Amino acid sequence: MTRAAFLAGLAVLAALTGPARAAGLEVIVEGAEPGPGEVYVTLCQGGLSEAACPIGRSAPVRGGAERFVFTDVPAGVWAVAAFHDENGNGRLDRTGLGLPLEPYGFSGAVARRARPDFASASFALREPGAAVRIRIARPLPRR
């Protein structure tokens, strides 16, 4: 076997046995009420702030479940945040105290009685074909 063939075979073997570099993720968002606006979904890494959620998608609200597919997501620890932007301003509206006014939800075991944290919302994404289901809900009555 030539040295070039050996090195090429070694490179293929390393690619097959190495850690996953990217994965696919399907996010199903339930609970959006039919009406104006869009559902926004973001993938967050390391925190739940806007800066920590660099990958996002949006789609018009049709009612029922909304499906979002993310491809080539780097393997790692992620969380998903979603909200229904009812007034179309591209942001999750909040009260003066910072409480959300529009329906929202997170992956994982995030409770609605306290400020969400990344540790409660996070999950390990290692391989293609992962799926996360999020139920968004209105935290406060409509004004």
Side-chain angles (χ1 to χ4, degrees), residues 102-114:
E102 296 173 306
Y104 72 98
F106 294 95
S107 55
V110 173
R112 294 210 184 267
R113 294 194 171 115

Side-chain angles (χ1 to χ4, degrees), residues 11 14-23 72-76 78 125-128:
L16 292 175
T17 61
R21 296 176 194 252
D72 296 326
V73 178
W78 292 89
L125 179 63
R126 293 189 181 100
E127 57 191 55

Side-chain angles (χ1 to χ4, degrees), residues 32-101:
E33 300 169 5
E38 294 195 341
V39 173
Y40 282 80
V41 173
T42 60
L43 304 185
C44 308
Q45 199 166 40
L48 297 176
S49 68
E50 196 171 323
C53 302
I55 302 171
R57 304 248 192 301
S58 66
V61 176
R62 295 182 304 262
E66 307 295 333
R67 180 176 177 260
F68 297 84
V69 176
F70 296 87
T71 57
D72 296 326
V73 178
V77 178
W78 292 89
V80 179
F83 74 97
H84 178 179
D85 180 21
E86 296 173 314
N87 61 6
N89 67 357
R91 303 191 74 78
L92 176 63
D93 292 333
R94 299 174 184 272
T95 68
L97 296 174
L99 300 173
L101 289 169

